[in-house]
């Protein structure tokens, strides 16, 4: 039988604000908790008719698992009551959140109401997370077709931030966040930092891009939630990055793996011994990288390198993360419920089988996506992990089901290139060449010359090239 106290602590932090921002209290009775024996009667709310109520104000401070003693102790799990919760407790949390989310989607997102009605599905038909297969899929094209805010499920007044990523035809994929959504995202990033060994006394050097791209701010807010010091360096000006790493005494580096390699090469070219840097770890994501590249990064920077996964539509970096075992990335499944499906049939696949990764945002308010098709290919594993976390693991992605390219953390679709050429009144006959130079991804677009593009003046051809390049960069 799962530990009652651990399960109850996890459940008490389950918070799902309603659309109007009203009472956040969730009620449940001891009968709803058969897996871990219910709640002691002394802890019940006297005014709830025998049920138990746990408002946000009653949530207790997170008790974090620590190792060592005195000033040497380090947090090893950021939220142990949730990250190590019994599977029965996670199932209960996921079920409650899914039911609440489905109601939100049906009542506040026209696209979902239309699809539910077409399927003859009602929110009340979803009783638990076991019913998730009954729900419709969501595709990236749905976000494009409802650009910019047609998928947002909360009033404008509740939005605190907007991010966006590349779309397939020039229109960006717009993602809105409430205050609670930002906290969920920050928790995911904080969990990743702690799993990599970061503590509140560390300096976190963030070299992901800041702006509409979700990379920089995700790790930034994660560091602050942990209580560490975020250094928002952003990308570029690599010699200055190295100066900051050395002079500030940064403990962790967060960036794309290709940029980490480039920083390492710059450290070497500047004649600096990486062992003299205080840097001891790095969290790298936003693009695919191999185990060989991991070893190269660890060698050139003398650090331990960790993987992190995320996508703007779901939350940004922090959806899943590696622990010390490094045999896959733990998914924050109390917020983002994963499935692996056959990309052709849409049927769910069991643990250990590769298929398309699908996420349902059971912990989000502003953009609560149902069964979002990520197009990433990977597999899941529920095998016990030596780190103590019970969260399911996903493998590194091994490809995609669509034609999207990821260049230095930026999503690029060939259809975007075609869209740009057509907008410039050019024939869409082109070739994309992707390469890696100095450990940085490069993309070259070669465009077939048409009769109208020919000119006796080199200057005219240079102008055409400049216009194409400018249009592509602004897409």
């Amino acid at each position: 039988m799962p530990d009652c106290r651990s399960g109850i602590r996890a459940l008490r932090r389950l918070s799902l604000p309603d659309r109007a921002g009203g009472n956040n209290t969730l009620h449940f009775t001891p009968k709803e908790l058969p897996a871990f024996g219910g709640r002691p009667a002394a802890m019940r709310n006297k005014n709830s008719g025998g049920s138990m109520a746990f408002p946000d104000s009653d949530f207790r401070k997170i008790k974090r698992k620590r190792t060592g003693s005195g000033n040497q102790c380090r947090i090893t799990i950021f939220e142990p009551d949730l990250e190590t919760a019994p599977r029965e407790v996670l199932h209960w949390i996921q079920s409650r959140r899914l039911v609440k989310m489905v109601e939100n989607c049906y009542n506040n997102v026209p696209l979902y109401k239309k699809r539910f009605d077409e399927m003859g599905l009602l929110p009340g038909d979803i009783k638990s997370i076991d019913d998730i297969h009954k729900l419709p899929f969501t595709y990236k094209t749905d976000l494009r077709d409802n650009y910019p805010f047609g998928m947002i499920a909360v009033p404008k007044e509740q939005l605190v931030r907007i991010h966006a990523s590349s779309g397939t035809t020039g229109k960006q994929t717009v993602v809105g966040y409430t205050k609670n959504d930002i906290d969920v995202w920050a928790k995911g990033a904080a969990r990743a930092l702690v799993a990599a060994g970061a503590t509140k006394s560390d300096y976190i050097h963030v070299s992901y891009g800041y702006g509409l791209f979700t990379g920089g701010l995700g790790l930034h807010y994660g560091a602050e939630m942990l209580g560490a010091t975020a250094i928002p360096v952003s990308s570029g000006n690599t010699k200055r990055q190295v100066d900051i790493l050395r002079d500030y005494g940064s403990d962790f580096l967060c960036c794309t793996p290709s940029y980490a390699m480039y920083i390492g090469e710059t450290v070497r070219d500047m004649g600096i011994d990486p062992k003299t840097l205080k840097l001891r770890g790095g969290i790298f994501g936003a693009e695919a990288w191999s185990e060989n590249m991991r070893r190269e990064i660890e060698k050139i920077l003398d650090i331990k390198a960790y993987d992190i996964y995320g996508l703007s539509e779901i939350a940004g970096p922090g959806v899943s993360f590696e622990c010390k075992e490094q045999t896959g990335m733990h998914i924050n499944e109390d917020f983002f419920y994963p499935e692996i499906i056959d990309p052709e049939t849409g049927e769910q696949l069991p643990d250990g089988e590769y298929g398309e990764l699908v996420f349902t945002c059971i912990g989000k308010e502003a953009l609560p996506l149902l069964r979002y098709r990520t197009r990433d290919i990977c597999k899941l594993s529920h095998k016990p992990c030596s780190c103590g976390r019970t969260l399911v693991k996903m493998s590194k992605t091994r490809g995609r089901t669509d034609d999207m390219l990821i260049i230095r953390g930026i999503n690029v679709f060939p259809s975007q290139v075609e869209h740009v050429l057509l907008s410039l009144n050019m024939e869409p006959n082109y070739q994309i060449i992707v390469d890696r130079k100095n450990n940085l991804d490069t993309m070259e677009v070669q465009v077939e010359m048409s009769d109208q593009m020919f000119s006796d003046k080199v200057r005219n051809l240079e102008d055409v090239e400049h216009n194409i390049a400018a249009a592509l960069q602004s897409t």
Side-chain angles (χ1 to χ4, degrees), residues 30 71 86 105 131 133 143 160 169 228 248 259 268 399 413 455 468:
N71 295 329
C105 289
D131 295 323
H133 66 280
L143 297 171
V160 299
T169 60
Y248 293 13
Y259 194 50
R268 179 193 61 200
F413 291 89
S455 173
I468 295 174

Side-chain angles (χ1 to χ4, degrees), residues 140 143-144 147-148 162-177 211-215 310-317 367 369 372 400 404-406 409-413 416 474-475:
K140 195 177 184 75
L143 297 171
R144 180 195 69 193
Y147 174 89
I162 297 291
H163 279 285
S165 65
S166 302
T168 56
T169 60
K171 286 188 176 181
Q172 295 178 315
T173 300
V174 177
V175 182
Y177 295 80
L212 287 176
F213 175 60
T214 56
L311 57 165
S312 295
E313 301 93 303
I314 303 302
L367 191 67
L369 299 180
Y372 182 75
R400 293 184 57 83
M404 188 180 81
L405 306 171
I406 302 179
I410 305 299
N411 298 341
V412 179
F413 291 89
Q416 287 178 285
S474 63
T475 300

Side-chain angles (χ1 to χ4, degrees), residues 298-419:
E298 291 180 337
K299 179 180 179 181
I300 201 167
L301 284 172
D302 191 39
I303 61 173
K304 186 74 172 175
Y306 293 85
D307 204 351
I308 191 171
Y309 175 89
L311 57 165
S312 295
E313 301 93 303
I314 303 302
V319 173
S320 66
F321 58 90
E322 277 189 324
C323 65
K324 296 289 186 179
E325 191 174 282
Q326 295 190 317
T327 55
M329 289 174 280
H330 289 286
I331 298 174
N332 289 310
E333 57 177 311
D334 52 327
F335 299 128
F336 316 109
Y337 185 79
E339 302 172 79
I340 295 293
I341 65 166
D342 183 316
E344 299 296 328
T345 67
E347 296 297 317
Q348 292 177 330
L349 297 177
D351 274 18
E353 288 194 26
Y354 280 96
E356 182 180 344
L357 180 61
V358 172
F359 278 114
T360 297
C361 303
I362 57 175
K364 289 186 65 178
E365 300 169 341
L367 191 67
L369 299 180
L370 294 171
R371 305 191 79 194
Y372 182 75
R373 303 277 297 259
T374 69
R375 302 300 184 185
D376 287 329
I377 300 296
C378 70
K379 63 181 179 179
L380 299 180
S381 173
H382 287 84
K383 292 180 180 178
C385 184
S386 62
C387 75
R389 292 175 179 84
T390 55
L391 300 174
V392 64
K393 284 183 181 179
M394 61 175 280
S395 66
K396 275 182 173 288
T397 58
R398 61 183 298 182
R400 293 184 57 83
T401 64
D402 60 14
D403 57 357
M404 188 180 81
L405 306 171
I406 302 179
I407 309 297
R408 301 188 193 180
I410 305 299
N411 298 341
V412 179
F413 291 89
S415 55
Q416 287 178 285
V417 176
E418 181 175 312
H419 175 77

